Amino acid sequence: MKIMVINCGSSSLKFQIFDLDDKKSNVLAKGMVEEIGKEKSKLHYKNDKMKKDEEYIKDITAKDHTEALENVATLLLDSKVGIFKDKIQVDAVGHRVVHGGEKFSKSALITKGVKEVIQECFDIAPLHNPPNYQGIIAAEKIFPNVPQVAVFDTAFHQTMQKEAYIYGLPYELYERYHIRKYGFHGTSHEYVSQRAAEILKKDYKKLKLITCHLGNGCSITAVKNGQSVDTSMGFTPLEGLVMGTRTGDMDPYVVLYIMEKEHLGIKEMNDLLNKKSGLKGISGISNDMREIMEAAANGNTRAQYAIDIFTYRITKYIGAYAAAMGGVDAIIFTGGIGENAVSIRQQVLEPLAFLGVKIDKKSNESKEKEKIITKIGSKVKVLVIPTNEELMIARKTKWVVEESNHIYR
Ligand code: ADP
C-alpha cells in the first residue's frame, strides 16, 4: 500500500511517501515546502533513487498549502525525479493533527464530522490545528478520491485516568471548557515504546516504560502495559519539562506576578512563556542544546545552569513516573537531544542508580543509532531509539483504511 504522510505547520508542508506492507516500509520520496505564503517558497525533494546527500531544490510560488501540495504533486509526476507516471497512485493520505481533544482516542478516517472536531480544537491549539486542517483541505482538493486519515498527537494519551489529567481547578471549568491535561508527542511516545518492546523481545502489554522525547519541545510519558498513564505536557505543550524556549512546570502565580510587575498583556506573556524561556531564557545564549553544551564546556555558568536544570527535571519526572507505575522496566530516549546528547543522558541517569540503572559508558558513547546503553544485568534497561513519527502515521493510516474497507465491504 502506498501512503502519503503530510505534516503541515503554519508556513510549511512536510511529506513522505511510503510503500508499506506487513514486512517492509520503504520511503519512496520525501520533502518539504518552506515559507508558504511568502513571495517565493522553496520545495525540497528527494526520492529513493537519489544519492544519500543529493537533494532537489526548487523555488516555487505557493500562496497557501493547496498550492504547495499542487507543486509537490507536479514534481511527483516529473519525468526525471518523479516516482509516478501519468497518475499519482497513493492509496491513502495520513495527516498529522496535533489536537483531537477528548473525542479521539484513535486515528480516524476523515469525514465532515472529524473535520468539525479538528476545527473545534482551534481554540486550544491555535498554532497547530489550523495549518493541520489546511493540509487536509489541500489534500482533499488534490487527491479527491483518496481516503484521508487524521492521526492525532493527543490520541495516545487518552488512556490517562482522571487522577492524571484533571487539574486542581474548580471542576466546572473542566466541564465548561474541557480544561485538562491532554499531552502531546503521542505518536512518538507510542512508536518508541513499541519499538523498545520489540528490541527487548518482551510483551508490550506487560512492560512499564518511561519514554523521554527530548527535542525542541520535550515531553516524558509513563507507558504501562501499552497505554499512556501519565505524560508531562498538559492542556498545551507548555507544561512539564524545561524545553528549548518553553518554561515547563512552575507556580502559576508567577504568571500573574510578572504580568503585573512588567506590565505585560496576554500576548506578550504568552511570548515570554513559550518563546523566550526554557534553555534559551536560562542560558541567555540559545535554545539549541549543542550551543549550550559548547558554552558550558567553555565555562559559561548560565549555560551550565540551563543543562543542570534541564536534566534535573527529567530525572525527577522519571522518579515520579516509576512511582506512578509501581516500577519501571525500561527508560527510552528519543528526539534530537535524547538521541544525540551523550552527556545529557549520563547526567539524567546517574542519580537513578538507586532504581537499578547501571549505565554502560561505552554503549552510551557509541555511534550506533538504536541501542541499549545499560550494562547486562541492569535491572532497569535504558534504550536510545530514533523516533519515526512519519512511519507511525503511515502505519496507522494503513490500519484505519483497511479497517474501514473491512467494515464497508
Ligand atoms: P524538533 O523538536 O524541532 O523536531 P529535534 O528533535 O531535531 O527538534 O531536536 C532539536 C534539539 O536537538 C536541539 O536542541 C539540538 O541542539 C539538539 N541536538 C541535535 N543534535 C545534537 C547533538 N549532537 N548533541 C546535543 N544536542 C543535539
Side-chain angles (χ1 to χ4, degrees), residues 102 154-167 180-184 220-222 227-235 321:
E102 290 192 299
T154 47
F156 182 56
H157 302 301
Q158 281 295 308
T159 43
M160 284 189 294
Q161 297 297 301
K162 277 210 160 53
E163 62 268 25
Y165 73 73
I166 293 289
Y167 292 125
R180 50 160 284 178
K181 180 187 277 286
Y182 287 99
F184 298 87
I220 178 163
T221 297
Q227 295 195 324
S228 168
V229 293
D230 206 345
T231 191
S232 59
M233 281 180 170
F235 180 58
Y321 285 171

Side-chain angles (χ1 to χ4, degrees), residues 294-302:
E294 200 182 311
N298 289 327
N300 184 308
T301 11
R302 271 178 59 183

Side-chain angles (χ1 to χ4, degrees), residues 215-217 287-290 293 335-337 340-341:
N216 272 314
N287 60 318
D288 191 301
M289 184 53 100
R290 279 166 294 200
M293 287 164 77
I337 301 172
N340 298 300

Side-chain angles (χ1 to χ4, degrees), residues 112-155:
K112 192 163 163 276
V114 170
K115 281 192 284 187
E116 277 165 13
V117 177
I118 295 171
Q119 282 180 299
E120 279 166 24
C121 295
F122 279 11
D123 224 19
I124 49 177
L127 297 180
H128 295 102
N129 270 35
N132 298 159
Y133 184 78
Q134 286 312 316
I136 294 171
I137 300 301
E140 283 181 336
K141 271 196 198 139
I142 294 167
F143 310 114
N145 300 316
V146 176
Q148 313 275 330
V149 174
V151 179
F152 301 96
D153 270 19
T154 47

Side-chain angles (χ1 to χ4, degrees), residues 210-212 214 218-221 232-233 237-251 254 273 277-279 282 289 304-322 333 344 347-349 351-352:
I210 298 176
T211 49
C212 311
L214 311 176
C218 300
S219 69
I220 178 163
T221 297
S232 59
M233 281 180 170
L238 188 57
E239 191 182 340
L241 303 175
V242 170
M243 310 178 211
T245 58
R246 297 181 205 140
T247 56
D249 298 338
M250 63 178 190
D251 180 346
V254 170
L273 294 168
S277 298
L279 294 174
I282 300 167
M289 184 53 100
Q304 190 58 52
Y305 288 159
I307 292 173
D308 295 346
I309 295 162
F310 180 80
T311 53
Y312 173 74
R313 187 149 323 164
I314 301 168
T315 305
K316 199 163 79 166
Y317 260 98
I318 293 175
Y321 285 171
F333 284 90
I344 299 287
Q347 199 169 329
V348 167
L349 294 168
L352 298 173

